[in-house]
Amino acid sequence: MIAEDLQPLSIVENEGFRNMVKLLDSRYQIPSRRALGRTIIPSIYSNVRNKVQALLNDTSFISLTTDIWTSINTDSFITITAHFFPKGQSQLKIVVLCTKKLDQSHTAVHLTEIMTNELNRWGILNKVTAIVSDNGANIKSAIRLMNIQHIPCTAHKLNLIVQKALYLNEDDSVGDESNELDSVKIKLILKKCRVIVGFFKRSEVGNRILGEKQRQLGFTQLLKLKQDVRTRWNSTLIMLERLVKLKEPLTVTMILVKEAPSNLTPEEWVIIEDIVPLLRPFNSLTIELSAEQYPTISKVVPLLRGLQTSLNSKIPKTPLGRFIKSNLISQVNRRFEGIEKQSLTPYFSRATLLDPRCKKAAFAVEENASDAEQNIVLEVASMTNNTSEDTEREVPTDQIEEDSENLWNFLQSRISNVQGQTTSTSSAMTTSVPSERIFSKTGQIMSARRNRLLPDNQDTLIFLHKNIFPTGLETHQPTYPTGLELRETSTTLSKYPTGLVTH
């Protein structure tokens, strides 16, 4: 329970918790916090680690994701997740290898040492085929020093594209002086939106009246404004979408509340309504590529082409909307210019070619597909020189789903008259999202309620939280002081000092 819900060990000392357990079964002895931290959790950790080790031993190829995160206490951590197919299985496995505190500067040499030691500890260094991370110079250099293929996180790139196109960073340069005025307008509109959201986050009166106006206008569900955060992917889209949804009750409320900031002008509302559909494809693509239960690298090429098709089909009403559209298209073309080529990151195109849903139809340039095919043929030819027993894997038969932004339309139009043939699939991730999600859990542990945990306990709980419950690796059966087996008992009522009865 503590690992699954990321509860503090001190929960066993809470009076309410102890009374509830006593009510459920008075024979059960709750372990002490000391016993949990020093005996029970380390024992479970040891068992789970052995089972994770067995899974890693039973595979030949492993992909990793890694990320570095800094807590609110300014402590830095690095996490590593492993993704692989155990021999004879077609179900992708994901496990957390570690979440370690960084006590030194995040230099490439230091990060190389940490990752190499961790992979050697698990005995998988020679099995790692690729590592996915963001584009931080230190982590990229560290992976190069390990002589392992680095795959840049596609989701991070998409987020950077949006940030650059909307000038979300203060130091973003415009480049062309003729665009200076447009960039200033974008910044002012977004700043105005943040001020409005911030006001309603702080104002009890404003928030209450906004809720009343929603009820009067027939809203079935009361909505609150959302503030964007630069480091949180797609949060600007979420903020703007919510403003558009609440446009009418928000306008009325801001007229009634004297302290409210200036509302958006009619022209600014139209510009926001232009921006929202331009950003939605990026959100759809990020979600599509952030999956953990199946490989995603083969989706990148066709979905990027779908993104370009979707952006080109948008028709903004305002000059500023058209400027942002041009910015987004330019950034996508620049950052993913060589995605199909056999240059720095050849695995995107090779995985696409091997995906039975895509093959050559997913490529925008036929020559790039032929180059990828030739490289695969050469690689297979070199492998056949060292013949080894191969186990054929079952090919996933999941269908291409059409989302609201139709990012698959590019591929569907290309393969409408092409019959698919069965081939093997790629087994790599394309985003570092699995590592990002680990830190969302770490953030919970590092909250004020749990900050008394030692670093070793933090690493252990994160390891157990990820590796026990999704995979069903381990369960712990309680013991009873009387030696009796657990049996059904009649429910009782317990009276507390207040005289109230709790059921």
Side-chain angles (χ1 to χ4, degrees):
M1 182 202 73
I2 286 173
E4 184 172 18
D5 295 339
L6 296 176
Q7 293 289 342
L9 302 188
S10 60
I11 190 174
V12 297
E13 299 172 346
N14 294 346
E15 193 65 25
F17 176 78
R18 298 183 67 86
N19 287 333
M20 184 192 71
V21 173
K22 184 178 179 181
L23 172 66
L24 294 173
D25 192 331
S26 59
R27 301 167 301 164
Y28 179 66
Q29 277 190 341
I30 300 175
S32 67
R33 179 177 175 178
R34 181 188 181 94
L36 276 173
R38 298 194 178 186
T39 306
I40 297 176
I41 289 179
S43 174
I44 298 177
Y45 174 84
S46 178
N47 290 335
V48 174
R49 192 189 187 286
N50 290 339
K51 293 182 180 182
V52 170
Q53 185 69 70
L55 287 174
L56 295 172
N57 292 342
D58 195 33
T59 189
S60 301
F61 306 101
I62 300 172
S63 299
L64 304 179
T65 76
T66 186
D67 193 34
I68 297 173
W69 171 78
T70 302
S71 72
I72 57 175
N73 300 327
T74 67
D75 293 322
S76 295
F77 296 83
I78 183 172
T79 194
I80 304 174
T81 68
H83 309 256
F84 55 94
F85 288 101
K87 289 180 181 177
Q89 296 186 32
S90 60
Q91 180 67 42
L92 185 69
K93 297 288 186 183
I94 170 175
V95 295
V96 174
L97 301 181
C98 72
T99 304
K100 289 187 174 296
K101 187 175 180 180
L102 297 175
D103 295 320
Q104 299 181 29
S105 298
H106 307 169
T107 63
V109 174
H110 180 53
L111 296 177
T112 298
E113 181 183 356
I114 288 177
M115 290 191 289
T116 301
N117 290 341
E118 191 62 30
L119 298 183
N120 281 328
R121 188 168 74 94
W122 289 97
I124 60 172
L125 181 59
N126 62 338
K127 296 182 178 183
V128 176
T129 59
I131 301 178
V132 183
S133 77
D134 60 22
N135 287 323
N138 54 348
I139 193 68
K140 286 170 62 177
S141 298
I143 295 170
R144 281 197 297 268
L145 290 174
M146 297 172 69
N147 198 27
I148 296 176
Q149 174 69 35
H150 174 254
I151 296 180
C153 174
T154 305
H156 275 89
K157 278 191 174 184
L158 292 171
N159 185 51
L160 289 175
I161 287 171
V162 172
Q163 288 189 18
K164 290 288 184 181
L166 297 180
Y167 304 98
L168 296 181
N169 296 324
E170 291 297 328
D171 56 347
D172 282 344
S173 59
V174 178
D176 188 350
E177 290 184 6
S178 61
N179 297 328
E180 182 73 35
L181 184 60
D182 287 330
S183 67
V184 171
K185 284 183 180 178
I186 294 172
K187 290 183 177 182
L188 289 176
I189 291 174
L190 293 178
K191 182 178 180 181
K192 205 170 180 180
C193 292
R194 295 186 190 106
V195 170
I196 292 172
V197 175
F199 170 78
F200 282 93
K201 290 288 184 183
R202 297 186 305 271
S203 172
E204 184 275 331
V205 174
N207 203 43
R208 174 164 45 81
I209 296 177
L210 180 60
E212 292 173 357
K213 296 307 171 186
Q214 289 182 62
R215 278 188 285 268
Q216 292 173 10
L217 291 168
F219 280 62
T220 56
Q221 180 183 2
L222 296 185
L223 302 175
K224 292 185 179 294
L225 295 175
K226 301 282 188 178
Q227 186 66 278
D228 75 331
V229 180
R230 188 177 61 84
T231 56
R232 186 170 298 166
W233 298 341
N234 302 304
S235 63
T236 301
L237 168 65
I238 294 169
M239 176 184 71
L240 298 180
E241 275 187 324
R242 184 56 57 88
L243 283 167
V244 171
K245 283 183 180 180
L246 294 176
K247 177 181 177 181
E248 191 173 352
L250 184 65
T251 301
V252 176
T253 302
M254 294 183 72
I255 294 174
L256 296 175
V257 180
K258 294 181 180 179
E259 299 82 7
S262 300
N263 194 7
L264 296 165
T265 66
E267 180 188 2
E268 290 169 337
W269 278 113
V270 176
I271 291 171
I272 289 177
E273 290 166 357
D274 270 351
I275 296 175
V276 167
L278 290 171
L279 298 185
R280 277 178 182 154
F282 290 89
N283 184 47
S284 299
L285 183 50
T286 301
I287 294 172
E288 183 85 28
L289 296 178
S290 297
E292 292 187 22
Q293 301 305 315
Y294 51 85
T296 55
I297 191 171
S298 64
K299 290 183 173 185
V300 174
V301 171
L303 286 177
L304 281 174
R305 300 308 174 215
L307 173 65
Q308 291 170 320
T309 301
S310 179
L311 288 175
N312 284 319
S313 69
K314 308 296 183 187
I315 306 177
K317 299 176 183 177
T318 62
L320 195 59
R322 291 190 286 272
F323 172 72
I324 293 172
K325 172 185 173 179
S326 175
N327 262 2
L328 289 169
I329 292 174
S330 174
Q331 286 288 330
V332 170
N333 293 340
R334 184 176 70 83
R335 290 184 180 273
F336 293 103
E337 180 182 8
I339 195 71
E340 291 185 2
K341 297 180 180 179
Q342 302 298 296
S343 52
L344 294 177
T345 53
Y347 295 111
F348 288 100
S349 55
R350 296 179 191 178
T352 301
L353 190 68
L354 290 172
D355 193 320
R357 301 167 299 180
C358 304
K359 299 188 176 180
K360 289 187 175 182
F363 289 78
V365 181
E366 187 175 348
E367 182 183 354
N368 292 335
S370 299
D371 289 345
E373 181 182 29
Q374 183 179 2
N375 277 273
I376 291 174
V377 170
L378 292 173
E379 185 176 350
V380 172
S382 66
M383 290 168 63
T384 55
N385 293 332
N386 300 317
T387 57
S388 59
E389 185 178 351
D390 247 343
T391 303
E392 185 176 348
R393 287 185 182 143
E394 177 185 351
V395 177
T397 57
D398 54 312
Q399 298 296 316
I400 295 173
E401 296 182 0
E402 183 176 343
D403 65 15
S404 60
E405 288 299 330
N406 301 319
L407 295 183
W408 285 107
N409 274 358
F410 169 81
L411 180 59
Q412 288 171 333
S413 65
R414 297 290 294 269
I415 65 174
S416 57
N417 296 319
V418 179
Q419 293 183 347
Q421 299 176 359
T422 301
T423 61
S424 60
T425 61
S426 168
S427 59
M429 310 305 292
T430 188
T431 71
S432 58
V433 169
S435 293
E436 299 271 356
R437 287 177 177 146
I438 298 304
F439 283 135
S440 72
K441 300 300 181 183
T442 308
Q444 294 179 41
I445 287 184
M446 292 297 292
S447 69
R449 188 181 173 200
R450 302 172 176 86
N451 63 6
R452 288 180 292 173
L453 288 175
L454 296 175
D456 288 344
N457 292 132
Q458 295 164 7
D459 187 11
T460 299
L461 285 183
I462 288 294
F463 180 88
L464 292 178
H465 175 84
K466 188 66 181 178
N467 295 335
I468 290 184
F469 299 98
T471 58
L473 289 177
E474 179 73 13
T475 57
H476 179 68
Q477 297 297 330
T479 56
Y480 294 87
T482 59
L484 297 175
E485 296 295 329
L486 181 64
R487 66 175 187 270
E488 290 188 10
T489 57
S490 59
T491 304
T492 60
L493 298 178
S494 176
K495 288 189 176 180
Y496 289 88
T498 58
L500 297 177
V501 174
T502 303
H503 180 67

